[in-house]
Amino acid sequence: MKKLHFSYLALLCVTAVVVFARCSKTVDDPVYEPYPETSLDQNAGTWKTYVITSGSQFSLPAPGAPTSAAYLAEVEDLKQMAAALTDEQKEAAQFWGSNGVLRWHEIAREFTAQYNVPPNYNADGTYPWPDPANPTVYPRFPFCNPPYASRAFALLSVAQYDALVAAWNLKFQHNRKSPAHYDNSIAQLIPANDLPSWPSEDAVVAAASREILKFLFPGEKELIEGKAAEHKNSRLWAGANVQSDLDAGDSLGRKVAERIIAYAKSDRMGQANNQAGYPALKDDAVARGFTDLWVSQDIPARPPMLPYFGNVKPWNFSDSVKVAIRPAVPPKSGSPEFNTALEELRDMVKNRTAEQWRIASYWADGVGSYTPPGHWNRTACELIYEKTFNEIRSARALALMSTAVQDAGIVCWDTKYYYLLPRPTQVDRSISTSTGIPNFPAYTSGHSTFSAAAAEVLSYLFPDHAAEMNELAKEASNSRIYGCIHYRFDCEVGLESGKKVGSYAVERGKNDGAE
Amino acid sequence: MRNKLLCTLLLLSVACSFLTAQSPTDALMMPQHQICILGQYASSTWDEYWEGTNKRSNSNLGTFNAASTMLMANYGITDRLNVMAGLPYVRTKSDSYLQGQRGLQDLSVWLKYRPLAIAAGPGEVRGFVTGGVSTPVSRYVNDLLPLSIGLRCPTASLRAVLNYTFYSGLYATAQAGHTWRGRTNIDRDSYLYNYQLYYTDEVPVPNVFDASARIGFIKERFQTEFWVERNACVSGDDIRYNDGPFPTNKMEATVAGWFGKVFVTRQWALHASVSKVFAGRNAGQATTWAAGTTYFFTVGE
């Protein structure tokens, strides 16, 4: 009998070991490593800029010659630093050395996810709205919803790109190389290249990103400044720049960022949450013959999300083009076409497959996530890393895509508040969803418009991934039907609209001097 | 504003439904070659929950309900060693637009061993050690808390039970256990944990420590028991303000309850229980009732 006990206990122990192995909590988070420069892009200083007039708009006092006493002293400092590096400093050199442009987008995505939570209702059923003057007081500023996020990624990308064009212009004017070129006792911790290192492209990116992110996420000032300081210092620790490379880069990045912030202050985002103007939008929709208007499905009813975001200034076309490409009238509620779309959703509630659940969940990009613009930002960053783009090509790719994604948001929001089409759940309460119901009208689908615009630009930039990008956009679009958040026509028209919006950015890309 | 609904876990209330009849946490054993089959229905409801440590309601979620139907079996390998298995079917719903979930949850298997049974004074002291494992049996949705029927991660648990029973039938039991929980894979490939964004679909689920104390009275034909229990994750993050719950959350609950069992015949018993969460963190303030039946028989003697 005793023997039996022990054999069962032994079995239990073996099982426990196996199960504990399965109970591992290690998660597989990707690691990005530094890679060598793939091209110098000597002419990038002449590429077409977005906000600054051209790459030559800003000048800096010329750098000291590599033979000057000041420069030699800087190289000496670098060597002393290299002799006393901590493990953390070496890690930082690798971390930022992988591609500083992408690292700042990572930071932006993390902020987006952290700030993407709608404010809770007050006891009296009203909702508070974040106050940019008091960003750390609840509800924290900003509420980083998808339109806000689309603009944040666009402003960050444009600032990085314009600043890098200006940097490239100066780099090849003065042609001062990295310290290892002049002193072969300097061993760089990251791959070396022939790119002139004054002004430092990393300091330019750090300063431009720092200023833009402080503007967009003012409550994160200290964290952002800490990251920027680390980014710049990492270049000293890596032996890739001397201090004057960084100082010049910081100064240039800051100047360019000032221009981008001035642009952002006049892009009409300040009026996007004009709730007092919302009744006028409803009156206009009624005047157009739309009687069953969208109402908030939140309890208590929440003011619509950014009803005037459709009025924000687009990047790649004029306001009149925006009106010209506005999607056509959706099927009226009660029409046969509308009823067919509604019927599909009623079936979906009953027969949603596991795969449809997975897709709806994968693309939900809802509260606490980096939003659909953040999802595509990540995809773009992964492709850039795969193709080992240099900093300026990285920033260009992100600027082309992110401006298109914001334009898609603008066109989509304009359309949503033009027709004010109710969500499926408003029309039929028996429809249950697999994800939260967005607090704005249905037509057209934001996911579809954002995704098609992003896929159009990424297909242009990464032609060998074109088919995959279009498939992803289609899946993102379908996910909203699977989730019963959207009618099929919201999604199909949204995809067409987004593709059209994206084509304007592609056209710009073909003519910006980089091809 | 994604109207994603805020709320919290039913998880604890589901776990609590195990606490009736011969379970890993009590001081009862099946004699050798005896088997018991238990069927139980439990319903757990809450309309307030703790978001972190702040208690709140949520008009978008309204009232949350989870119901579980569980089948469990316990076999006496010897008088001192029992093997148990249980599998619940869980159904969730709320007043929100989010689709309620249903499905078979996790299959659990335990071994329960009694190393100690000695007469002491006016009664007997007994000690038990229980080891168990569980594994999800279906690929249920795990990223729609609180509507998900579970967290879909493997677990392993180890616990100790100490009991003193007077010859009069009065008893007291103390129990403590630790549950190791592994990763769960969600359908997304990024998520926030402790305000940090992770780029993976793998989510670490915190381990749980639990302890309970029971006093009761047991006779041949009936049993009645009052208990308090504390479940607490040993790590994890809080639900962000006005955001939804997530498998990484540090869930805690202190629960008090009553359990009673009556033998209708020598082989057939009915039981019922009620319990209420009275303190918590990242958990719903659930009131749970359960009712079930147990059938005892002998095999292979």
Side-chain angles (χ1 to χ4, degrees):
Chain A
M1 206 66 257
K2 266 236 144 45
K3 213 170 159 189
L4 188 64
H5 289 182
F6 284 119
S7 62
Y8 277 104
L9 281 176
L11 179 67
L12 178 68
C13 291
V14 169
T15 314
V17 167
V18 170
V19 171
F20 288 157
R22 286 183 67 211
C23 285
S24 157
K25 289 199 206 305
T26 319
V27 299
D28 188 16
D29 219 14
V31 176
Y32 297 107
E33 286 168 358
Y35 52 80
E37 212 77 31
T38 41
S39 63
L40 293 184
D41 285 317
Q42 280 101 325
N43 298 322
T46 64
W47 290 359
K48 188 179 169 191
T49 50
Y50 281 88
V51 173
I52 64 174
T53 53
S54 75
S56 55
Q57 187 180 348
F58 300 100
S59 58
L60 293 171
T67 50
S68 67
Y71 189 83
L72 294 174
E74 285 190 313
V75 171
E76 222 33 62
D77 289 346
L78 219 53
K79 285 187 198 165
Q80 280 184 14
M81 212 178 274
L85 283 185
T86 65
D87 287 345
E88 287 77 23
Q89 289 169 335
K90 286 178 192 163
E91 248 175 60
Q94 298 297 319
F95 177 86
W96 291 101
S98 70
N99 185 332
V101 168
L102 303 188
R103 289 299 183 192
W104 282 100
H105 282 268
E106 245 173 37
I107 294 168
R109 289 198 299 272
E110 192 160 278
F111 287 155
T112 299
Q114 289 171 2
Y115 280 82
N116 178 21
V117 185
N120 194 15
Y121 50 85
N122 297 317
D124 64 359
T126 61
Y127 285 89
W129 188 250
D131 175 9
N134 290 301
T136 56
V137 175
Y138 190 83
R140 296 192 305 167
F141 176 85
F143 165 28
C144 195
N145 49 46
Y148 191 94
S150 73
R151 175 170 168 270
F153 291 120
L155 289 170
L156 176 63
S157 309
V158 163
Q160 291 176 337
Y161 172 74
D162 276 11
L164 284 170
V165 173
W168 246 253
N169 177 60
L170 290 169
K171 275 175 184 292
F172 286 94
Q173 258 177 44
H174 297 280
N175 229 356
R176 192 174 85 182
K177 298 264 166 76
S178 63
H181 276 85
Y182 308 114
D183 186 330
N184 57 18
S185 71
I186 288 178
Q188 269 194 213
L189 297 185
I190 54 176
N193 61 56
D194 286 330
L195 187 67
S197 72
W198 181 97
S200 156
E201 65 278 14
D202 281 84
V204 162
V205 167
S209 306
R210 177 188 65 211
E211 300 306 316
I212 295 296
L213 288 182
K214 281 199 297 189
F215 168 73
L216 292 165
F217 297 95
E220 302 294 335
K221 186 169 172 282
E222 278 170 32
L223 195 153
I224 292 164
E225 286 177 346
K227 294 277 184 194
E230 186 188 88
H231 184 183
K232 287 191 295 172
N233 285 331
S234 76
R235 301 292 294 178
L236 301 175
W237 301 332
N241 281 117
V242 293
Q243 188 65 46
S244 56
D245 294 338
L246 299 177
D247 293 344
D250 192 286
S251 165
L252 183 62
R254 190 192 293 265
K255 283 180 189 177
V256 174
E258 274 169 20
R259 299 305 164 108
I260 312 299
I261 289 169
Y263 170 94
K265 283 180 174 166
S266 63
D267 69 356
R268 302 191 289 264
M269 184 65 174
Q271 295 85 53
N273 191 40
N274 175 15
Q275 296 295 338
Y278 183 54
L281 291 175
K282 288 198 283 189
D283 291 347
D284 289 350
V286 170
R288 285 178 205 114
F290 292 92
T291 44
D292 295 334
L293 298 189
W294 171 84
V295 292
S296 170
Q297 300 295 289
D298 279 24
I299 307 168
R302 186 187 287 275
M305 183 189 288
L306 304 182
Y308 280 87
F309 186 75
N311 204 34
V312 169
K313 194 176 164 191
W315 288 98
N316 294 302
F317 43 78
S318 65
D319 291 322
S320 56
V321 168
K322 176 193 76 185
V323 172
I325 63 173
R326 180 187 293 139
V329 182
K332 281 205 172 168
S333 98
S335 68
E337 202 188 339
F338 185 90
N339 287 342
T340 306
L342 197 61
E343 206 49 49
E344 180 182 9
L345 301 181
R346 289 178 180 136
D347 287 346
M348 185 65 66
V349 172
K350 288 181 221 139
N351 305 315
R352 195 184 278 125
T353 64
E355 178 63 1
Q356 287 167 335
W357 263 107
R358 186 194 67 76
I359 291 169
S361 177
Y362 177 76
W363 289 101
D365 295 330
V367 171
S369 79
Y370 45 40
T371 77
H375 198 137
W376 285 98
N377 178 279
R378 173 189 179 177
T379 303
C381 288
E382 286 171 355
L383 291 174
I384 287 167
Y385 181 75
E386 180 195 311
K387 299 293 180 193
T388 61
F389 276 16
N390 65 14
E391 279 81 358
I392 196 160
R393 285 205 176 263
S394 303
R396 170 178 175 264
L398 283 163
L400 288 172
M401 189 197 75
S402 307
T403 55
V405 168
Q406 189 189 340
D407 288 350
I410 291 166
V411 167
C412 180
W413 252 245
D414 169 76
T415 307
K416 282 177 182 292
Y417 288 98
Y418 191 82
Y419 300 113
L420 283 165
L421 191 78
R423 293 272 168 184
T425 32
Q426 183 184 331
V427 178
D428 182 349
R429 179 62 182 89
S430 74
I431 291 175
S432 59
T433 69
S434 73
T435 184
I437 305 168
N439 192 48
F440 38 84
Y443 181 81
T444 52
S445 148
H447 272 59
S448 309
T449 318
F450 284 132
S451 299
E456 183 72 3
V457 178
L458 293 179
S459 299
Y460 157 69
L461 291 166
F462 306 96
D464 57 332
H465 285 280
E468 182 196 343
M469 292 301 116
N470 289 319
E471 272 310 301
L472 288 175
K474 185 94 176 78
E475 190 180 272
S477 175
N478 281 334
S479 78
R480 306 310 268 174
I481 301 168
Y482 302 155
C484 292
I485 300 300
H486 276 290
Y487 314 97
R488 181 167 290 280
F489 57 78
D490 294 341
C491 296
E492 288 177 351
V493 178
L495 278 178
E496 280 170 38
S497 169
K499 192 173 165 67
K500 200 176 292 172
V501 168
S503 71
Y504 286 86
V506 170
E507 204 49 37
R508 183 199 161 91
K510 287 177 179 165
N511 296 291
D512 65 3
E515 274 201 349
Chain B
M1 262 136 284
R2 308 311 154 108
N3 170 8
K4 179 169 169 184
L5 298 165
L6 323 171
C7 17
T8 313
L9 284 203
L10 74 148
L11 184 81
L12 296 169
S13 60
V14 173
C16 291
S17 62
F18 286 86
L19 296 177
T20 52
Q22 282 76 4
S23 79
T25 57
D26 68 16
L28 299 175
M29 292 287 274
M30 296 306 295
Q32 187 173 16
H33 299 314
Q34 245 200 53
I35 194 164
C36 79
I37 305 287
L38 173 144
Q40 175 182 276
Y41 179 83
S43 172
S44 186
T45 305
W46 50 263
D47 53 20
E48 287 190 299
Y49 63 98
W50 287 273
E51 186 178 69
T53 52
N54 293 323
K55 196 163 145 192
R56 64 169 291 177
S57 62
N58 191 313
S59 51
N60 286 296
L61 183 75
T63 301
F64 171 86
N65 175 261
S68 75
T69 308
M70 183 161 81
L71 206 58
M72 199 169 153
N74 184 0
Y75 174 68
I77 297 168
T78 74
D79 288 351
R80 297 172 66 185
L81 182 68
N82 280 193
V83 60
M84 281 173 263
L87 179 64
Y89 177 87
V90 183
R91 193 262 310 131
T92 65
K93 63 179 182 185
S94 73
D95 296 333
S96 82
Y97 289 92
L98 288 173
Q99 189 161 13
Q101 303 292 300
R102 56 184 66 221
L104 284 174
Q105 197 208 36
D106 302 339
L107 174 69
S108 298
V109 178
W110 299 270
L111 282 178
K112 187 171 180 181
Y113 179 63
R114 192 190 69 203
L116 176 74
I118 47 167
E124 192 184 16
V125 183
R126 288 175 301 164
F128 305 83
V129 181
T130 309
V133 294
S134 81
T135 189
V137 292
S138 66
R139 208 182 176 285
Y140 55 80
V141 173
N142 59 350
D143 191 15
L144 194 72
L145 293 171
L147 290 161
S148 297
I149 62 169
L151 300 181
R152 216 177 71 212
C153 63
T155 79
S157 62
L158 201 59
R159 58 188 66 251
V161 185
L162 194 65
N163 167 268
Y164 187 85
T165 305
F166 291 93
Y167 295 122
S168 63
L170 199 62
Y171 69 88
T173 307
Q175 178 275 142
H178 189 91
T179 305
W180 290 265
R181 303 195 291 184
R183 287 182 300 246
T184 189
N185 291 73
I186 56 173
D187 292 328
R188 295 182 281 153
D189 59 359
S190 78
Y191 61 88
L192 275 180
Y193 174 34
N194 265 331
Y195 292 93
Q196 192 186 330
L197 196 56
Y198 287 81
Y199 290 94
T200 169
D201 63 340
E202 296 173 340
V203 179
V205 181
N207 297 339
V208 183
F209 177 78
D210 70 270
S212 61
R214 304 148 190 282
I215 52 167
F217 189 76
I218 188 162
K219 272 289 172 194
E220 236 169 52
R221 300 297 293 267
F222 78 99
Q223 180 186 4
T224 181
E225 177 181 280
F226 291 91
W227 49 268
V228 288
E229 186 186 68
R230 168 83 179 157
N231 282 291
C233 292
V234 296
S235 61
D237 60 353
D238 282 330
I239 301 173
R240 288 169 295 279
Y241 188 53
N242 216 36
D243 201 346
F246 194 64
T248 56
N249 290 151
K250 184 175 173 59
M251 291 177 273
E252 299 177 0
T254 308
V255 196
W258 169 84
F259 165 75
K261 184 154 102 176
V262 179
F263 278 85
V264 181
T265 71
R266 283 184 66 83
Q267 290 191 299
W268 178 41
L270 298 173
H271 71 262
S273 73
V274 288
S275 67
K276 188 172 171 65
V277 174
F278 61 88
R281 178 172 178 171
N282 303 308
Q285 184 163 29
T287 302
T288 304
W289 64 265
T293 180
T294 316
Y295 189 71
F296 300 81
F297 55 99
T298 305
V299 288
E301 210 163 18

